[in-house]
Amino acid sequence: QVQLVESGGGLVQAGGSLRLSCVASGRTFSPYAMGWVRQAPGKEREFVSAINLSGGAIMSADSVKGRFTVSTNSAGNTVYLQMNSLKPEDTAAYYCALGPSALTISRMGGPNFYWGQGTQVTVSS
């Protein structure tokens, strides 16, 4: 089993920045990817960004390109999401995800796919 624990959410004014972190523990597999998905109140979950731990290929939603940056640590067990120029529409619960590839995470499901518990991000106008 894989455990994912997110941190770094909070309340920020529009135009501000936040950095989310997610630490993975337990039994992982190779290759794998880590990333982020979000869900706003009353809306479906939406893919945000993901990175392949092997090769470093990144996928990101058009809505966050140029503002959000996904990265990992050298050990490959922590994924970050640096969020700049935040907008009220970025308000959502942000969930860390781990799966076989960034493409799998963008599809938000499949074999060997794991979710964290989520961390709330609220952007005030």
Side-chain angles (χ1 to χ4, degrees):
Q1 283 291 333
V2 174
Q3 294 80 43
L4 302 173
V5 179
E6 303 100 331
S7 61
L11 173 64
V12 64
Q13 288 188 334
S17 298
L18 279 175
R19 190 193 196 202
L20 305 182
S21 300
C22 172
V23 180
S25 60
R27 188 173 182 177
T28 57
F29 45 85
S30 182
Y32 64 97
M34 296 182 72
W36 298 90
V37 173
R38 68 186 181 185
Q39 186 168 21
K43 295 187 178 181
E44 295 183 351
R45 285 192 177 185
E46 173 191 25
F47 169 70
V48 177
S49 191
I51 181 170
N52 286 332
L53 275 294
S54 176
I58 291 173
M59 293 183 65
S60 295
D62 288 343
S63 59
V64 305
K65 284 181 179 177
R67 300 189 300 122
F68 292 9
T69 303
V70 65
S71 62
T72 61
N73 66 346
S74 58
N77 65 345
T78 302
V79 64
Y80 306 99
L81 187 67
Q82 178 65 44
M83 304 185 293
N84 299 329
S85 302
L86 282 160
K87 305 174 181 179
E89 51 263 44
D90 294 318
T91 295
Y94 283 71
Y95 297 88
C96 179
L98 186 149
S101 68
L103 179 61
T104 301
I105 294 175
S106 73
R107 293 172 176 172
M108 297 182 290
N112 294 323
F113 191 87
Y114 299 90
W115 295 103
Q117 293 299 307
T119 185
Q120 180 66 35
V121 172
T122 303
V123 184
S124 63
S125 57

